[in-house]
């Protein structure tokens, strides 16, 4: 299935360094546009099946989510996101080694049921989630590149 938003960037850092940033709740919060932090719920760190409470903000709006890690390898970190027990999205970071470091692709899929979309628009202030996520991914990848290359 095609993602609703996706972009990639080349990073002059090791795939391991990038994986460490995207799979670390604090590291990811320093790069992400809306995600502002989180805490592991049933694990000490990333692994398939691990759950975390995520905290998100956009302007004055704040909302929590609960995510479950679905992929956790050197080449992919992904998680399914729920809000109020409902599936809302999937986020995925694919890391491909290149001669100069790696290429990182961030993708997301909107999983919200149609009736839930107006509620999330009010909660987040986002009218067009696909357009906003595309912009957010592009900004996140730029920050991720800076963080990975500055280490």
């Amino acid at each position: 299935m095609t993602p609703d938003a996706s972009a990639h960037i080349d990073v002059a850092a090791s795939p391991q360094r990038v994986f460490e940033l995207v799979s670390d709740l604090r590291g990811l919060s320093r790069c992400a546009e809306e995600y502002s932090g989180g805490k592991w719920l049933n694990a000490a760190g990333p692994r398939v099946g691990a759950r975390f409470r995520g905290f998100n903000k956009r302007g004055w709006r704040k909302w929590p989510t609960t995510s479950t890690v679905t992929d956790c390898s050197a080449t992919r970190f992904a998680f399914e996101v729920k809000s109020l027990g409902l599936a809302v999205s999937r986020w995925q970071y694919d890391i491909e080694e290149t001669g100069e470091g790696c290429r990182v692709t961030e993708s997301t899929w909107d999983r919200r049921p149609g009736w839930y979309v107006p509620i999330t628009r009010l909660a987040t202030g986002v009218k067009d989630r696909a357009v906003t996520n595309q912009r957010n991914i592009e900004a996140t990848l730029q920050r991720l590149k800076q963080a990975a290359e500055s280490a």
Side-chain angles (χ1 to χ4, degrees):
M1 195 165 144
T2 304
D4 296 291
S6 185
H8 67 268
I9 196 165
D10 291 327
V11 179
S14 72
Q16 179 63 31
R17 172 68 180 136
V18 170
F19 173 81
E20 289 168 0
L21 282 169
V22 299
S23 65
D24 174 65
L25 299 182
R26 185 174 303 220
L28 186 56
S29 72
R30 287 191 294 265
C31 299
E33 192 67 14
E34 290 181 346
Y35 170 74
S36 62
K39 64 179 182 175
W40 294 105
L41 298 175
N42 67 338
R47 64 171 173 76
V48 172
R51 294 173 51 239
F52 64 92
R53 170 77 57 181
F55 304 102
N56 306 280
K57 66 180 180 176
R58 181 175 181 77
W60 57 269
R61 291 174 166 94
K62 297 179 182 181
W63 65 97
T65 57
T66 302
S67 299
T68 303
V69 176
T70 59
D71 297 88
C72 189
S73 69
T75 60
R76 176 176 289 165
F77 182 68
F79 49 91
E80 298 281 342
V81 182
K82 289 186 175 184
S83 177
L84 303 175
L86 297 169
V88 293
S89 62
R90 173 181 174 84
W91 287 86
Q92 183 170 300
Y93 297 85
D94 290 303
I95 306 163
E96 178 185 354
E97 188 169 0
T98 64
E100 297 77 37
C102 61
R103 172 169 283 182
V104 184
T105 303
E106 182 178 5
S107 305
T108 188
W109 292 259
D110 190 342
R111 307 276 172 127
R112 297 172 298 168
W115 64 267
Y116 194 53
V117 171
I119 295 167
T120 61
R121 283 182 183 156
L122 285 174
T124 66
V126 174
K127 291 182 181 178
D128 190 330
R129 181 46 74 184
V131 169
T132 298
N133 280 347
Q134 186 65 42
R135 282 191 216 120
N136 289 350
I137 285 172
E138 291 166 6
T140 297
L141 288 174
Q142 285 296 325
R143 286 197 223 45
L144 179 65
K145 177 181 176 71
Q146 291 172 347
E149 291 178 352
S150 68

